Amino acid sequence: MDHTGESEKGAYPTVHPLKIFDLAKSQGRFLYACAPMVRYSKLAFRQTVHHYNTDLCWTPMILAKEFNRNQFARDSDLTIATDGAQPVTIVQFGANKPLELARASSMVAPFVSGVDLNCGCPQSWACAETLGAALMEQRELVRDMLVETRARLRRDGWAVEREASADSPRGRSVSVKIRVHKDLRRTMDFVATVLGDAASGSCNVDWLTIHPRTRSTPSSTPIDVEALEILADKFGRDVPILVSGDVFTLATLPYTSHLLDPAPTFTSSGSADAAAKKPSIPNLRGLMSARALLANPALFAGHGTCPWEAVDVFLERLARAPLPLKLGVHHLTEMTGPGYGPDKRALLTKKERVRLTACANWIDVLDTLAELRAGKEEAAR
Ligand SMILES: Cc1cc2nc3c(=O)[nH]c(=O)nc-3n(C[C@H](O)[C@H](O)[C@H](O)COP(=O)(O)O)c2cc1C
């Protein structure tokens, strides 16, 4: 594990994610989360979205087996801030053995707020190793991994008794991110098994993130709102539920909720009809965004498109928590390109973004950005 910043002081988070769920609810809004994104949801990006109101930030999926065995894997896969600018962080692991997940979780627990198990990655290499979405066919194994992880964290002295641990500075969360099956009854069985006996208070997870697409649904196909509605109705009273998928703007969500405040307003009767058709999902507690946050880290602060200031915040964070050039430039091309909301204005044209990708070093990148931005500002005068 790599630490940025100068001191260890304050490295240990003191806010339990369940407290943040409660805070968001008391403010009459959804909890806002940055999705796990392999390659992209690294520290500088997490700090940037956190600056713009994102409450909870996931790391990219980290392979527990490698993390447990290899110091280089630990140093390159997880960077945390030790100088106070640490967002509330959830480490996501890819694992298929209880012992591996428990060990890796034990190692990161001092530095982050919680651990999460990836049961959603559809990539063939992951599924071939019974990781990610392949785990949706292994509900007992998933339950066992979560149970063993909780037991290990408890033995290590962390507080993992769900709500009872939320006030403890040693409170840590255990959660899972899932996809759905074509036959939703199988997802219901999966969730019931994984949660355990929620009614008696011995639930195995603190919350559930649902990506309502099947393993083979492309991300261009809209999420299955009906599946989300059914799952939230069935399990949303036992555990908080976050939705991942198609969170592009708060005004264009394909469902409504009392936590969407102020509710989007509609002026034409056609829009009102469309709103009336949207189901209300009262038991949904949070929104997780991946692609739209990549393009606009200021999304949850109400910006319809990425502002230049967000680019500045990212570059400033990047100076303290560096990324490889190509990766950093990819972030910049995402942020300066058109986003996922209805407003398709972009900070730079495609041709200008191509110029960024041709830069050979960070000095070139910064000079090119400054030149292009000055040109825009001049043209706007
Ligand atoms: C570049 C990229 C990397 C991703 N990596 C992960 C990952 O490491 N773990 C995971 O559970 N999901 C991962 N996902 C899936 C997202 O977390 C999210 O569930 C999915 O993209 C749907 O959300 P969206 O419509 O907001 O993009 C990734 C998605 C993208 C675009």
Side-chain angles (χ1 to χ4, degrees):
M1 275 161 286
D2 196 16
H3 301 188
T4 71
E6 287 173 1
S7 95
E8 286 279 340
K9 208 162 157 255
Y12 297 0
T14 52
V15 186
H16 193 290
L18 286 182
K19 294 292 275 185
I20 305 185
F21 272 99
D22 288 346
L23 178 73
K25 193 177 172 191
S26 73
Q27 294 172 343
R29 64 170 179 87
F30 280 124
L31 174 141
Y32 302 136
C34 172
M37 281 179 277
V38 160
R39 287 189 296 283
Y40 302 119
S41 57
K42 298 226 164 203
L43 180 61
F45 185 72
R46 296 197 299 270
Q47 290 178 319
T48 305
V49 297
H50 176 64
H51 179 87
Y52 288 104
N53 291 359
T54 302
D55 298 297
L56 272 187
C57 295
W58 266 244
T59 68
M61 175 177 74
I62 294 172
L63 295 175
K65 192 173 168 189
E66 309 303 321
F67 195 81
N68 287 332
R69 285 169 180 67
N70 192 318
Q71 180 69 44
F72 288 112
R74 289 195 282 279
D75 285 343
S76 70
D77 287 352
L78 181 62
T79 308
I80 51 142
T82 54
D83 59 1
Q86 168 98 318
V88 179
T89 306
I90 308 298
V91 176
Q92 190 191 59
F93 285 115
N96 56 17
K97 289 197 174 61
L99 187 61
E100 299 285 8
L101 183 64
R103 272 192 185 153
S105 300
S106 168
M107 244 186 284
V108 299
F111 306 101
V112 297
S113 295
V115 293
D116 188 78
L117 176 64
N118 183 346
C119 297
C121 179
Q123 291 188 23
S124 48
W125 69 265
C127 292
E129 297 203 33
T130 328
L131 293 164
L135 291 171
M136 294 303 299
E137 314 304 323
Q138 306 271 346
R139 58 195 162 119
E140 278 94 5
L141 173 61
V142 171
R143 179 202 54 207
D144 294 349
M145 283 197 270
L146 298 167
V147 167
E148 182 144 344
T149 297
R150 262 184 198 281
R152 173 67 191 255
L153 292 178
R154 194 179 296 115
R155 278 204 305 280
D156 287 352
W158 301 107
V160 287
E161 310 311 324
R162 295 195 67 217
E163 276 91 355
S165 303
D167 286 321
S168 165
R170 292 191 69 79
R172 296 294 182 270
S173 63
V174 177
S175 55
V176 63
K177 179 168 179 275
I178 67 168
R179 284 192 179 234
V180 297
H181 302 87
K182 204 167 169 197
D183 178 353
L184 200 64
R185 284 171 303 184
R186 297 185 58 211
T187 316
M188 308 276 261
D189 289 345
F190 178 95
V191 176
T193 303
V194 163
L195 257 52
D197 190 3
S200 75
S202 66
C203 190
N204 299 322
V205 295
D206 291 280
W207 71 85
L208 182 68
T209 306
I210 301 174
H211 180 187
R213 290 189 175 98
T214 69
R215 181 173 159 175
S216 56
T217 316
S219 56
S220 51
T221 302
I223 59 161
D224 184 343
V225 177
E226 200 185 341
L228 177 66
E229 209 184 341
I230 293 169
L231 292 170
D233 184 53
K234 172 94 176 123
F235 300 106
R237 275 172 293 271
D238 297 331
V239 282
I241 291 183
L242 270 169
V243 61
S244 169
D246 296 355
V247 176
F248 296 153
T249 69
L250 296 190
T252 53
L253 296 170
Y255 39 82
T256 63
S257 163
H258 62 289
L259 296 177
L260 273 178
D261 194 23
T265 51
F266 298 93
T267 45
S268 77
S269 60
S271 305
D273 284 351
K277 279 192 204 121
K278 287 186 185 186
S280 171
I281 310 188
N283 291 332
L284 188 63
R285 295 284 299 279
L287 306 173
M288 174 186 272
S289 174
R291 290 168 296 168
L293 265 187
L294 262 192
N296 175 15
L299 172 74
F300 289 130
H303 291 263
T305 59
C306 183
W308 275 113
E309 292 70 33
V311 177
D312 292 337
V313 171
F314 176 66
L315 288 171
E316 196 251 330
R317 300 296 190 265
L318 200 61
R320 292 168 201 267
L323 290 173
L325 179 72
K326 291 271 176 238
L327 198 52
V329 169
H330 184 83
H331 274 291
L332 292 171
T333 58
E334 285 279 342
M335 291 166 70
T336 53
Y340 284 79
D343 185 344
K344 293 295 177 202
R345 278 176 297 175
L347 294 174
L348 297 178
T349 63
K350 189 166 183 193
K351 210 168 156 195
E352 289 166 335
R353 298 197 301 277
V354 169
R355 265 189 70 189
L356 279 182
T357 61
C359 291
N361 57 55
W362 277 112
I363 303 288
D364 276 357
V365 173
L366 296 178
D367 284 349
T368 307
L369 261 185
E371 183 197 318
L372 292 170
R373 187 170 172 177
K376 302 273 167 197
E377 282 165 1
E378 183 63 36
R381 261 188 229 124

